[in-house]
Amino acid sequence: MNYSQQKYKYLYLLSDKYPTIQEVYAEIIHLQAILDLPKGTEHFMSDLHGEYEAFYHILNNCSGVIREKVDFLFARTLTTEQCAEFCTLIYYPKEKLEKLQEKEFLTAEWYETTIYHLIKLAKFVASKYTRSKVRKAMPKVYRYILDELLHAQPKEHVNQLSYHKKIVDTLISIKSANDFIIAFSKMIKRLAVDHLHIVGDIFDRGMRPDAIIDMLIEHHSLDIEWGNHDILWMGAAAGSEACIATVIRNSLSYRNMDVLEKGYAISLRPLSLFAAKIYPDENSIIASKKAISMILFKLEGQLIYRNPEFKMEDRLLLHKIDRNTSSITIDGKILPLKSAYFPTLSQLSPYSLTEEEAQIMRDLRITFQESERLHKHIRFLYKKGSMYRCYNQNLLFHGCIPLDENGDFANITFDGKTYFGKSYMDYADKKAREAYFGIKQQKNLDFMWYLWCGRKSPLSGRKIKTFERDIIDDPLSWAEPKNPYYHYSNSEKICDMILKEFNLSTKRGHIINGHVPVKVINGENPVRGNGKAIVIDGGFCRAYQKTTGIAGYTLIYNSYGLRLMSHQPFSNSQKSLEKNEDIESKSKIIEQMQTRIMVNDTDLGEEIKIQLSDLEELLNAYKTGVLTPQE
């Protein structure tokens, strides 16, 4: 057989990894066996908004998967209370062991029983994986011991059973059982969920988005679809002053300044001192918010003037303020202002920063650029994140695919070229990366702000009314019209049109996104388009829970199908440790497969088939003498 020079070179390199015919055979057998295993469980979460404790718990309980498996395995041998305590031990092993130690519950008998329960559960969650994959999930320090215990059989020879019991007894006697249980619990959680999808909005509102990212950095397998709040922080880190001002305004609005000051070492003191001087009668937070809001509106005005392609001239509102009548005229309507006191607003040049405002922004930009921890987190978002992702025939994105009033893809023109659908998402992804990693062009930085709040931004999908909410004393003016996508996503036909645009199967595929909280309390349904679209933002953020009626959705996609989990509010991890409280969750089957989904049916399966084709070509090259195998 004749091979091209490139193909020959590739097979030659491959032969270095599989130098003998026997090794090629072994790998082919191994990969073919993997194709016939059930697909791994995928876990989808969205709109975390800094709610660290709730996120930490749901990540630990795998959206209720751990509890379901414990109840199934131990329904006849453990009481409800014992199952709850065992689950809490798996969720928070280190902290729970400390609590049990205080109560003197950690006897040799307790350790032995608990370890055998963990072995039983681990065997169950590991059953759909190859032995090599399970071994990779094991902490190195206990890999040999875990491998032995997991593959022990109940009907083994008495000497073998004695050997395995001796391992457990030794762990207890040398006081290594606590470390072993912690490692064992971590492995079980890793095997319970094979891959994690974060469908946007890690930042803002909640107190600890930074802690969430620290956890995600340690996760074994995940991807992130950027949300509008994520892109805002990414734009701020890249150097966009409009994004920086918005990040600070949001932090002041939700009283989570510690994220900036303690999490990322970004001082707000210069802003606070300036605000106290110009708003002496206001408390520090309100004064600072007013000061940064006016800076923001000026920066946004400059940005809109610089970028006529954004078509957001209707957001140029500062020059329409009439301080004499304490009103503003928008679209021919005269609307009352909350206050006519704007000490830094110039009538002659309303969109120009004062000298002090300009200095504050220069200082803030430097602190954002110099925050090492912030940039570590932002680089992680770029490494694991994207505007959208196609994964196992599902289309994941945070906000929307912009549509027009007729339900067709909206056309968006930048740099003289028109984009829509997939091409627009690809363009946005490219520009977002250029803004951070490329030459710091103002145009790219401005585009990050557009992705945050632009009229046709796929991450925003609505007309943002920050100015109206801050300045105008008329709630009717605060309404934020949404992109037609949010109406048309109820149509199966439109969902199929979007899936086809991304080259996905309309038979198997689904659209999975977040961004807009599902108001369950008002009867809204997270499943739309005859099951084709699933919205998983149900109110993870505490600020939304009064209007949604729940505390968020998560989605589980395993070999049996899709299940939507709805969660009730989580109090705190301390109560969970003391009272073994879990998040109350309800499961709803979205789609149940008639036959189990195997690895052969997944993206991983397609990759394995390519590897098998390459290995078969290598085998043929060995057999025909094109390449010489080692003895």
Side-chain angles (χ1 to χ4, degrees):
M1 181 179 289
N2 294 322
Y3 292 104
S4 67
Q5 186 176 2
Q6 186 177 7
K7 189 67 177 180
Y8 178 83
K9 185 177 181 181
Y10 173 72
L11 292 175
Y12 180 79
L13 292 171
L14 192 62
S15 70
D16 193 50
K17 187 175 182 181
Y18 305 101
T20 69
I21 288 178
Q22 290 75 19
E23 284 176 289
V24 177
Y25 280 142
E27 185 63 10
I28 289 174
I29 293 167
H30 170 66
L31 292 176
Q32 286 285 6
I34 291 175
L35 288 175
D36 289 328
L37 288 172
K39 77 174 284 295
T41 298
E42 297 171 55
H43 188 184
F44 300 77
M45 302 174 77
S46 172
D47 296 87
L48 310 178
H49 285 303
E51 297 290 350
Y52 171 73
E53 286 215 50
F55 167 76
Y56 185 28
H57 189 85
I58 288 180
L59 195 66
N60 277 330
N61 80 358
C62 304
S63 277
V65 169
I66 296 291
R67 183 59 186 262
E68 289 174 348
K69 294 186 184 302
V70 168
D71 288 345
F72 176 80
L73 284 176
F74 301 102
R76 296 183 179 180
T77 55
L78 297 179
T79 66
T80 301
E81 291 76 17
Q82 287 172 328
C83 282
E85 183 159 84
F86 183 51
C87 286
T88 305
L89 176 68
I90 296 168
Y91 305 158
Y92 307 102
K94 181 177 181 294
E95 296 85 351
K96 189 62 179 176
L97 286 166
E98 289 172 357
K99 290 283 183 187
L100 294 172
Q101 181 70 58
E102 291 172 7
K103 297 177 182 178
E104 298 182 351
F105 285 175
L106 301 184
T107 62
E109 182 182 0
W110 181 91
Y111 278 121
E112 184 175 352
T113 301
T114 299
I115 289 172
Y116 280 116
H117 286 336
L118 288 169
I119 292 170
K120 186 175 182 180
L121 178 60
K123 284 183 177 181
F124 188 52
V125 297
S127 60
K128 61 176 163 182
Y129 300 118
T130 63
R131 188 164 179 173
S132 63
K133 181 162 183 171
V134 173
R135 195 179 295 116
K136 288 175 184 175
M138 297 173 181
K140 286 184 180 180
V141 67
Y142 291 112
R143 187 167 291 169
Y144 166 76
I145 297 171
L146 285 166
D147 196 38
E148 285 288 337
L149 294 176
L150 280 188
H151 296 93
Q153 300 299 320
K155 294 183 179 180
E156 283 180 330
H157 188 275
V158 64
N159 291 335
Q160 194 71 13
L161 290 174
S162 176
Y163 165 65
H164 290 134
K165 187 177 185 309
K166 190 65 177 178
I167 290 175
V168 175
D169 290 343
T170 304
L171 281 168
I172 297 167
S173 66
I174 65 174
K175 301 190 183 305
S176 185
N178 278 12
D179 286 341
F180 181 73
I181 288 171
I182 291 168
F184 212 158
S185 298
K186 184 177 180 180
M187 186 196 80
I188 287 170
K189 288 180 284 192
R190 176 168 174 171
L191 292 172
V193 171
D194 189 48
H195 189 81
L196 175 65
H197 304 282
I198 303 295
V199 193
D201 276 0
I202 298 167
F203 280 101
D204 287 332
R205 297 195 176 97
M207 302 305 290
R208 295 303 309 277
D210 57 321
I212 289 176
I213 296 180
D214 283 336
M215 283 189 67
L216 293 177
I217 287 172
E218 298 301 319
H219 199 275
H220 64 279
S221 180
L222 86 160
D223 57 65
I224 298 167
E225 290 65 57
W226 302 323
N228 55 319
H229 287 270
D230 305 320
I231 211 78
L232 176 66
W233 281 75
M234 291 157 68
S240 164
E241 290 190 352
C243 289
I244 289 169
T246 309
V247 162
I248 293 169
R249 184 191 174 280
N250 287 350
S251 291
L252 291 164
S253 295
Y254 290 97
R255 304 293 199 270
N256 62 353
M257 295 82 73
D258 279 358
V259 176
L260 286 166
E261 296 186 315
K262 295 181 181 178
Y264 294 123
I266 294 170
S267 174
L268 300 182
R269 182 169 171 75
L271 173 66
S272 179
L273 292 174
F274 171 68
K277 184 172 66 175
I278 61 173
Y279 297 105
D281 297 330
E282 300 283 9
N283 73 45
S284 177
I285 293 176
I286 292 174
S288 294
K289 183 183 173 183
K290 283 186 174 184
I292 198 65
S293 294
M294 183 53 68
I295 292 173
L296 171 62
F297 300 145
K298 292 179 180 181
L299 291 170
E300 287 181 336
Q302 296 171 20
L303 189 152
I304 291 166
Y305 276 121
R306 284 196 300 268
N307 297 275
E309 287 182 317
F310 292 173
K311 296 182 179 179
M312 293 181 67
E313 291 79 9
D314 63 318
R315 305 313 300 152
L316 297 170
L317 298 172
L318 285 179
H319 68 281
K320 297 182 180 182
I321 290 174
D322 186 339
R323 280 186 274 198
N324 294 325
T325 61
S326 189
S327 66
I328 184 171
T329 302
I330 301 177
D331 296 331
K333 293 181 181 179
I334 300 174
L335 302 170
L337 303 178
K338 293 179 180 179
S339 168
Y341 179 62
F342 304 111
T344 64
L345 181 62
S346 166
Q347 289 289 113
L348 296 176
S349 184
Y351 300 102
S352 297
L353 298 181
T354 67
E355 208 172 291
E356 285 181 283
E357 287 174 327
Q359 185 59 51
I360 285 169
M361 288 312 303
R362 283 193 291 269
D363 292 343
L364 285 169
R365 184 171 179 171
I366 289 170
T367 58
F368 269 81
Q369 290 175 330
E370 291 181 347
S371 173
E372 291 184 15
R373 187 164 184 250
L374 173 62
H375 284 276
K376 175 186 176 183
H377 287 179
I378 297 303
R379 285 193 296 271
F380 173 75
L381 290 181
Y382 275 106
K383 179 181 179 181
K384 294 294 183 179
S386 55
M387 287 292 296
Y388 71 93
R389 192 171 304 270
C390 299
Y391 198 99
N392 288 338
Q393 295 302 311
N394 293 319
L395 175 60
L396 285 60
F397 55 83
H398 178 70
C400 69
I401 304 297
L403 303 178
D404 63 22
E405 296 298 333
N406 298 319
D408 298 317
F409 292 116
N411 291 324
I412 300 98
T413 301
F414 292 112
D415 299 322
K417 187 174 180 181
T418 299
Y419 303 90
F420 62 88
K422 183 177 183 296
S423 69
Y424 180 37
M425 297 293 272
D426 289 336
Y427 173 82
D429 191 290
K430 175 175 174 285
K431 300 303 286 185
R433 296 182 192 280
E434 286 178 0
Y436 188 80
F437 294 105
I439 299 170
K440 294 293 186 292
Q441 295 181 351
Q442 188 62 55
K443 196 168 188 177
N444 290 338
L445 297 178
D446 289 350
F447 189 73
M448 297 297 276
W449 173 87
Y450 183 84
L451 287 176
W452 151 249
C453 65
R455 194 69 40 78
K456 291 185 179 180
S457 164
L459 300 183
S460 174
R462 66 183 191 272
K463 185 176 181 179
I464 298 291
K465 296 288 191 72
T466 305
F467 181 95
E468 286 85 343
R469 291 196 304 271
D470 265 15
I471 304 294
I472 299 175
D473 192 19
D474 180 0
L476 293 178
S477 70
W478 304 350
E480 298 183 333
K482 298 175 186 174
N483 185 271
Y485 166 84
Y486 296 103
H487 165 70
Y488 282 111
S489 62
N490 288 294
S491 163
E492 182 177 2
K493 180 182 176 182
I494 298 296
C495 291
D496 284 346
M497 177 188 80
I498 293 171
L499 289 169
K500 286 178 184 176
E501 170 70 7
F502 288 83
N503 303 311
L504 296 172
S505 167
T506 56
K507 190 173 181 179
R508 287 181 52 199
H510 307 83
I511 294 169
I512 300 167
N513 68 283
H515 188 51
V516 178
V518 179
K519 298 178 181 177
V520 179
I521 200 169
N522 293 342
E524 290 184 1
N525 191 342
V527 183
R528 299 166 186 178
N530 196 24
K532 288 294 180 71
I534 306 165
V535 182
I536 59 172
D537 180 6
F540 225 111
C541 175
R542 291 177 188 268
Y544 285 153
Q545 289 171 9
K546 287 183 180 179
T547 56
T548 60
I550 61 170
Y553 288 110
T554 53
L555 189 68
I556 299 293
Y557 182 27
N558 59 22
S559 59
Y560 295 104
L562 282 161
R563 285 192 299 146
L564 189 67
M565 308 295 292
S566 60
H567 308 287
Q568 291 303 308
F570 179 62
S571 50
N572 57 65
S573 55
Q574 199 58 37
K575 277 191 177 180
S576 182
L577 286 166
E578 292 174 356
K579 300 181 180 180
N580 299 314
E581 287 186 0
D582 208 340
I583 288 182
E584 184 183 338
S585 305
K586 292 182 180 178
S587 174
K588 178 183 177 181
I589 296 174
I590 302 298
E591 189 172 277
Q592 189 164 12
M593 302 301 171
Q594 293 181 344
T595 57
R596 288 186 83 176
I597 306 170
M598 312 307 279
V599 172
N600 186 61
D601 307 310
T602 66
D603 294 347
L604 174 61
E606 293 303 314
E607 292 174 13
I608 289 174
K609 290 171 192 174
I610 293 171
Q611 292 177 46
L612 283 168
S613 176
D614 291 339
L615 287 167
E616 286 165 1
E617 288 202 54
L618 177 61
L619 189 62
N620 185 65
Y622 281 155
K623 289 182 175 179
T624 57
V626 174
L627 290 172
T628 305
Q630 293 184 17
E631 294 296 328

